[in-house]
Amino acid sequence: MPDTAAQIAATLLELRNVQIVYDNAVEAVRDVSLSVPEGSVVALLGSNGAGKSTLLKAVTGSLHREEGEIEKGTIHYGGRDIGHARTEDIVRAGLILVPEGRRLFANLTVDENLTMGAHLKDTARMKFQRDAVFDLFPKLKDRRHQISGYLSGGEQQMVAVGRALMAEPRLLALDEPSLGLAPLIIDGIYDTIARMRRELNMTILLVEQNATQAMEIADYVYIMENGRVVLDGPAEKTRSNLDVQEYYLGFSGGGEHRKSFRDIKHYKRRKRWLS
Amino acid sequence: MSYLVNLLASGLAVGAVYGLIAMSFAIIYKSTGLLNFAQGEMAMITAYVAWSISTSVDGNPFIVAAGSILFAIVFALAVERIAIRPMMNEPILSQIMVTIGLSVIFRSLVILVWDGLPHGMGIPAGDALVTLGDVRVRVAQIGVILFLFAAIVAMWAFFRYSRFGVAMRAVASDDGTAQLMGVNSGKVQMAAWGAAAVLSGVAGVLFAIGAELSPSLYALGLKAFPATILGGLDAIIGSAVGGLVVGITENLVGGYLSSGLKEVAGFVIIILILMIRPYGLFGEKRIERL
């Protein structure tokens, strides 16, 4: 292996053979290996209960809150083993999560939510970042003194992403940013992700059920089912994979008549999560 | 007329004591979701320590105040670290049971360390009577009212303008997400316990100066808790108002109707108000919107 060192330097987040167990009994993630190179957008796709969110919890050091544990394998971020690091230290190192369902502090104003995102930064830095977020989402500036719980879904998602940006992420992980939003707003979110990558040179780990749009923006794709990675590859190659087209993107290749469900192998039939 | 004004004044003073302890309940509840049923007992122990300082060291009110506030903070942080922190991720009901257990231990501890007899606090400066127009009140009673208002202003400013105060509210709103921002919920819990101990400790000491020091002082907690419910469990300033309402109602009923009704009057008011406003007078309704 000639260029191992260069490879490691270029990989920001690296999971190796990770196995996660809840309550010492329920296996949620089995033998997952995944790497996110610096500056790339990696999509992690899969249906409900595939283990995507569990992986994100492991990466952000918040498994222990739900009696979860990394039983085997390692998680390296920026060359450091973070498998058992505290969330506080992971956040300080710039690995920031936008949680599923946005999870705003509903009783706090937009400004206060953003301030929380920069909790570990000093006030001068916080204000600087806040101006940057207002540049990215001018709408939030108008709404800054409103209670965030009363904003619309799309505005709440802006606050959630803005709050994560306050921490100056090196790696931004987004857990189902399109969940429960109207298509037009989802387009806006994806435009923002593309901009963050282009203008801020951010590394992004995108976890989604909504495969179509995630694949358009990603460089590399992992597909999870039942706690395992069942398929991975560069986004273009994966997109053109016939199985993926049929069962994950919801169209059949080559204009052929859609195959009958009976012809499909059992393992393929189990999950049709984008129909 | 002067009878009414005197009743109101002493109602305000005892209400301020309830209000301060009620604020303590609300501070801890708001930032950690926990009800500390040992709050009244912790106020009582602080009052006993203040008595020990005044009788064995110096009766100077400033020395007593400094010593008892310092003790209240150290004591609360010790209790938090030893008994509460290890329970942090356990079910909230188990945590509440721990505080109930602590309350019983603290009550016995007072009799074990000191004694079961009533005492004067031995702080003449606080015991002195002041005449303001028709009203005769003790310095300690004026002190507790002023302290309550200072505490209200301080808490309001802290939770609204300081970043740590905002972080405490964020933890109250969603502690899992607050941790994702790097908030250390242990620090938040320590701050809440420390602040609560200062408010209720000062209330306990000033009450003991105005009335007397005895092992039944913990009952202040029993009066203050309904005041918290009245103001709204998560409303810190509302709890202070709740305490004043309970204190004044008690005194008016005791003065005009019968002293037998005095003890229950506050509770009757609470039940009536909660029937109309189940979240308490100032409680926040959860925002249910996705």
Side-chain angles (χ1 to χ4, degrees), chain B residues 18 222-223 226-227 230 245-255 257-273:
Chain B
Y18 297 157
L222 299 181
K223 286 284 182 58
L230 174 65
V245 170
V246 173
I248 291 173
T249 312
E250 269 186 14
N251 258 30
L252 291 182
V253 170
L257 298 176
S258 96
S259 54
L261 284 177
K262 187 179 174 182
E263 299 296 312
V264 293
F267 292 89
V268 172
I269 292 274
I270 286 165
I271 290 170
L272 289 179
I273 292 181

Side-chain angles (χ1 to χ4, degrees), chain B residues 151-251:
Chain B
I152 289 174
V153 173
M155 286 296 144
W156 178 79
F158 173 73
F159 280 103
R160 182 153 180 111
Y161 295 113
S162 87
R163 287 183 64 188
F164 195 73
V166 172
M168 286 176 83
R169 279 163 56 214
V171 170
S173 161
D174 183 343
D175 66 330
T177 306
Q179 280 182 27
L180 280 179
M181 320 273 114
V183 177
N184 180 333
S185 47
K187 275 186 203 157
V188 167
Q189 181 156 303
M190 278 170 65
W193 278 71
V198 170
L199 296 190
S200 57
V202 169
V205 173
L206 290 174
F207 181 82
I209 294 173
E212 63 180 12
L213 183 69
S214 81
S216 61
L217 208 64
Y218 74 88
L220 288 177
L222 299 181
K223 286 284 182 58
F225 182 64
T228 312
I229 304 273
L230 174 65
L233 253 182
D234 55 356
I236 293 169
I237 294 168
S239 297
V241 177
L244 293 176
V245 170
V246 173
I248 291 173
T249 312
E250 269 186 14
N251 258 30

Side-chain angles (χ1 to χ4, degrees), chain A residues 65 87-88 91 97 102-103 105-108 112 115-123 147 149-151 163, chain B residues 89 160 163 166-167 169-170 173-184 187 284 286-287 289-290:
Chain A
R65 293 174 56 83
T87 308
E88 200 181 330
V91 170
L97 172 70
R102 307 182 273 283
R103 303 279 293 273
F105 303 112
N107 299 321
L108 272 56
E112 287 169 339
T115 305
M116 284 308 297
H119 183 72
L120 297 173
K121 310 254 172 219
D122 62 43
T123 301
I147 300 292
Y150 294 122
L151 298 180
R163 186 176 63 178
Chain B
N89 290 320
R160 182 153 180 111
R163 287 183 64 188
V166 172
R169 279 163 56 214
S173 161
D174 183 343
D175 66 330
T177 306
Q179 280 182 27
L180 280 179
M181 320 273 114
V183 177
N184 180 333
K187 275 186 203 157
E284 266 175 8
R286 290 258 163 218
I287 298 174
R289 187 184 196 293
L290 281 174

Side-chain angles (χ1 to χ4, degrees), chain A residues 23-266:
Chain A
D23 259 339
N24 293 321
V26 188
E27 204 171 52
V29 168
R30 261 176 290 176
D31 199 30
V32 168
S33 295
L34 179 155
S35 67
V36 182
E38 184 114 49
S40 69
V41 175
V42 170
L44 176 60
L45 309 175
S47 62
N48 261 335
K52 302 175 310 263
S53 291
T54 301
L55 263 192
L56 282 185
K57 278 176 195 143
V59 166
T60 52
S62 39
L63 268 180
H64 63 97
R65 293 174 56 83
E66 289 160 36
E67 309 288 323
E69 203 190 345
I70 300 171
E71 217 180 39
K72 281 182 203 151
T74 55
I75 302 178
H76 282 269
Y77 168 74
R80 219 176 99 212
D81 186 351
I82 56 162
H84 297 93
R86 294 182 312 160
T87 308
E88 200 181 330
D89 297 327
I90 294 172
V91 170
R92 199 166 271 136
L95 200 172
I96 311 296
L97 172 70
V98 179
E100 186 181 345
R102 307 182 273 283
R103 303 279 293 273
L104 296 188
F105 303 112
N107 299 321
L108 272 56
T109 63
V110 170
D111 248 4
E112 287 169 339
N113 267 281
L114 293 179
T115 305
M116 284 308 297
H119 183 72
L120 297 173
K121 310 254 172 219
D122 62 43
T123 301
R125 196 75 211 152
M126 183 272 286
K127 286 186 174 150
F128 178 81
Q129 279 303 112
R130 195 171 56 192
D131 290 341
V133 169
F134 286 149
D135 282 346
L136 194 64
F137 301 113
K139 216 173 185 177
L140 293 187
K141 195 168 187 178
D142 305 332
R143 300 250 189 275
R144 59 191 291 181
H145 297 301
Q146 290 191 17
I147 300 292
S148 63
Y150 294 122
L151 298 180
S152 73
E155 289 165 342
Q156 289 198 4
Q157 187 61 275
M158 285 180 205
V159 178
V161 173
R163 186 176 63 178
L165 292 180
M166 292 295 290
E168 297 182 79
R170 195 171 158 204
L171 171 61
L172 183 68
L174 295 118
D175 195 356
E176 306 220 11
S178 66
L179 190 74
L181 295 178
L184 204 64
I185 292 171
I186 296 176
D187 289 347
I189 299 282
Y190 273 92
D191 285 347
T192 310
I193 295 172
R195 262 183 78 189
M196 288 190 296
R197 181 225 192 133
R198 211 171 45 234
E199 290 169 20
L200 306 170
N201 197 26
M202 209 172 281
T203 310
I204 291 166
L205 174 60
L206 180 61
V207 172
E208 264 292 8
Q209 290 196 50
N210 178 351
T212 322
Q213 260 167 321
M215 277 202 192
E216 272 167 28
I217 201 173
D219 302 310
Y220 201 90
V221 173
Y222 291 86
I223 295 178
M224 278 186 86
E225 266 184 26
N226 290 324
R228 288 171 193 271
V229 171
V230 291
L231 193 98
D232 70 290
E236 277 154 48
K237 219 166 135 192
T238 314
R239 221 171 7 207
S240 58
N241 179 315
L242 283 177
D243 280 356
V244 173
Q245 285 192 356
E246 235 184 291
Y247 307 112
Y248 292 81
L249 297 178
F251 51 80
S252 51
E256 263 173 55
H257 185 67
R258 192 166 192 135
K259 282 183 210 157
S260 156
F261 229 54
R262 246 174 305 160
D263 306 332
I264 304 167
K265 279 189 211 150
H266 172 72

Side-chain angles (χ1 to χ4, degrees), chain B residues 38 45-46 54 75 77 89 93 97 131 172 176 181 199 229 236 267:
Chain B
I45 290 188
T46 308
S54 86
F75 181 54
L77 294 187
N89 290 320
L93 202 60
M97 292 309 290
T131 310
M181 320 273 114
L199 296 190
I229 304 273
I236 293 169
F267 292 89

